[in-house]
Amino acid sequence: MTNQELLLKEIRKLTSTSLNDEISAILNISYHAAHRRVSGKSKFSIDETLQLANYFNISLDKLFLKNDKVIVEKTIEIRSLKDMLLYFKKSAEKIEQLVNNKNVTLYYSAKDIPLFYFMDGTIISKFKAYVWLTLLNTNQSDIAFENFVIDESFMEHTQKLKKIYEKVTVKEVWNDTTINSSLQQILYFYESGLLNFKNATSLCLDLKRILNLIKEKSNKLNSNFSIYYNELILLNNNMLIETYDKLTMFIPYTLLGYFITDNKESCQNVHEFFNQQILNSKSLNQSGIKEQNLFFNRANRKIDYYIQRLNNQVDLLF
């Protein structure tokens, strides 16, 4: 049986209407063109195959591949500010499509502070865009943060992502290293002469604001937000979205690049792994004040340490 026949066989299980009529409507082609595809006289294009698979929620890797292979999408490659704007636009559209129903849960393994916290128009939002673009585009490397200008549409797309994040049930897993990357980035660009002392200090204080925001969220009653502290494993920035009918996994492969798959077996394994992480973690929502304060105080002391390092370097100049 050909791949096209396998796909049509699967679609027939999922529809009770005329296959020619339905394919014609989904692909926006004529009845005759649909009939030629159903009868095997012409082939579906790759785009048409993906369109049908998405419409009927058919896993192509399960249909066409062996168990040890998985078909994945990937986010666009970022080489310029224009690419980054398109990245966030497409990311917002993809996640909005997945969460466009009730009872959605988003799991996040926070090796770094989840990027959703850097989408509120503060100095840390601009700095993160600067870091991402600098590290992904070698032509950007000698531009100081103070001279970095970002398009207004950047905030439009990131705000959309932030709103999506705030309306779903969120389960984040953190550890004591989650804030390290952001702090090291601040120190690196300051020591490189690409970030001035005033802004470096402001960025550290903005990280404190984010921590305070997360602490407040974790203390809200009937909140859709949960944060867990895990001491046992290294986290990896994996994200998993659970809806009523499927799981979708986002696997990082570069700074902002993600592979995306809804492979049932793989996603189910990751779902089980997330639940195992949570089981072996401390819920900061349900912990007592002492446990919660221990976690956030450690993070704030780490920020204070970096602020002191910045001050010490300034003192050495005078």
Side-chain angles (χ1 to χ4, degrees):
M1 189 176 290
T2 67
N3 288 337
Q4 182 150 316
E5 288 170 337
L6 285 171
L7 177 60
L8 288 169
K9 180 181 178 181
E10 198 68 21
I11 291 173
R12 286 189 177 96
K13 297 177 185 177
L14 302 170
T15 182
S16 57
T17 60
S18 163
L19 198 57
N20 292 332
D21 287 335
E22 188 138 24
I23 288 176
S24 172
I26 295 167
L27 299 182
N28 194 26
I29 57 178
S30 69
Y31 180 91
H32 177 68
H35 174 71
R36 287 185 59 81
R37 287 159 174 77
V38 171
S39 63
K41 293 178 181 178
S42 63
K43 303 292 184 182
F44 290 123
S45 68
I46 293 175
D47 286 343
E48 288 173 344
T49 301
L50 291 172
Q51 197 172 344
L52 290 169
N54 287 332
Y55 183 88
F56 289 103
N57 196 22
I58 295 171
S59 172
L60 291 179
D61 49 322
K62 182 179 179 181
L63 196 62
F64 299 142
L65 301 180
K66 297 178 180 179
N67 291 335
D68 60 348
K69 297 184 184 295
V70 176
I71 292 175
V72 297
E73 297 178 58
K74 73 180 185 70
T75 52
I76 70 166
E77 303 297 337
I78 299 173
R79 298 282 187 269
S80 65
L81 182 56
K82 182 179 178 181
D83 292 338
M84 191 164 68
L85 294 175
L86 184 59
Y87 168 89
F88 281 108
K89 180 177 183 292
K90 294 292 186 182
S91 296
E93 290 172 353
K94 177 68 177 180
I95 295 178
E96 186 175 41
Q97 180 185 28
L98 290 171
V99 306
N100 196 22
N101 55 60
K102 296 181 180 179
N103 301 320
V104 175
T105 301
L106 189 153
Y107 299 83
Y108 201 111
S109 173
K111 176 183 178 182
D112 305 315
I113 299 174
L115 56 83
F116 301 97
Y117 292 107
F118 303 121
M119 299 181 176
D120 51 6
T122 65
I123 187 172
I124 196 75
S125 304
K126 179 183 175 183
F127 179 69
K128 279 295 180 176
Y130 170 76
V131 171
W132 294 329
L133 199 56
T134 299
L135 298 180
L136 291 169
N137 178 11
T138 54
N139 295 327
Q140 178 80 14
S141 59
D142 60 345
I143 298 175
F145 173 68
E146 287 72 29
N147 298 326
F148 177 65
V149 178
I150 194 161
D151 195 288
E152 289 183 6
S153 59
F154 175 77
M155 287 307 302
E156 175 189 340
H157 301 316
T158 55
Q159 280 289 314
K160 190 174 182 180
L161 265 174
K162 182 185 177 186
K163 288 177 181 177
I164 294 169
Y165 195 66
E166 289 175 343
K167 77 177 184 180
V168 302
T169 298
V170 172
K171 296 184 178 182
E172 294 177 4
V173 182
W174 286 47
N175 63 21
D176 286 321
T177 67
T178 298
I179 69 168
N180 288 4
S181 178
S182 294
L183 286 168
Q184 193 58 39
Q185 288 164 3
I186 294 168
L187 185 64
Y188 171 85
F189 284 100
Y190 173 71
E191 291 180 338
S192 300
L194 298 172
L195 175 68
N196 66 35
F197 173 75
K198 179 181 177 182
N199 282 331
T201 305
S202 295
L203 287 166
C204 289
L205 295 176
D206 213 11
L207 284 178
K208 286 199 168 201
R209 176 191 59 81
I210 289 173
L211 288 177
N212 190 55
L213 172 69
I214 294 168
K215 186 176 181 181
E216 288 177 358
K217 284 174 64 177
S218 67
N219 283 323
K220 285 184 179 178
L221 297 175
N222 302 318
S223 171
N224 63 348
F225 173 78
S226 301
I227 180 170
Y228 301 88
Y229 170 52
N230 190 299
E231 301 176 80
L232 302 176
I233 62 171
L234 294 176
L235 307 178
N236 56 10
N237 287 336
N238 269 6
M239 187 171 75
L240 182 75
I241 294 178
E242 178 184 14
T243 66
Y244 73 94
D245 62 344
K246 72 173 182 178
L247 297 164
T248 304
M249 176 171 51
F250 295 72
I251 312 138
Y253 70 93
T254 61
L255 187 63
L256 284 178
Y258 277 82
F259 292 125
I260 307 166
T261 180
D262 58 5
N263 174 267
K264 187 173 182 180
E265 183 180 358
S266 300
C267 288
Q268 188 60 46
N269 286 338
V270 171
H271 185 254
E272 291 172 3
F273 184 61
F274 263 113
N275 286 325
Q276 189 64 30
Q277 286 183 60
I278 288 170
L279 186 65
N280 291 315
S281 302
K282 295 176 183 177
S283 168
L284 297 179
N285 299 66
Q286 299 173 4
S287 298
I289 294 175
K290 178 182 177 182
E291 287 291 341
Q292 193 179 90
N293 284 344
L294 282 172
F295 174 78
F296 287 106
N297 288 345
R298 278 197 304 271
N300 277 297
R301 283 197 300 271
K302 190 174 289 187
I303 296 173
D304 289 336
Y305 169 75
Y306 273 78
I307 292 175
Q308 187 59 51
R309 287 185 67 176
L310 293 171
N311 281 304
N312 289 344
Q313 293 196 36
V314 170
D315 291 341
L316 290 174
L317 297 176
F318 297 96

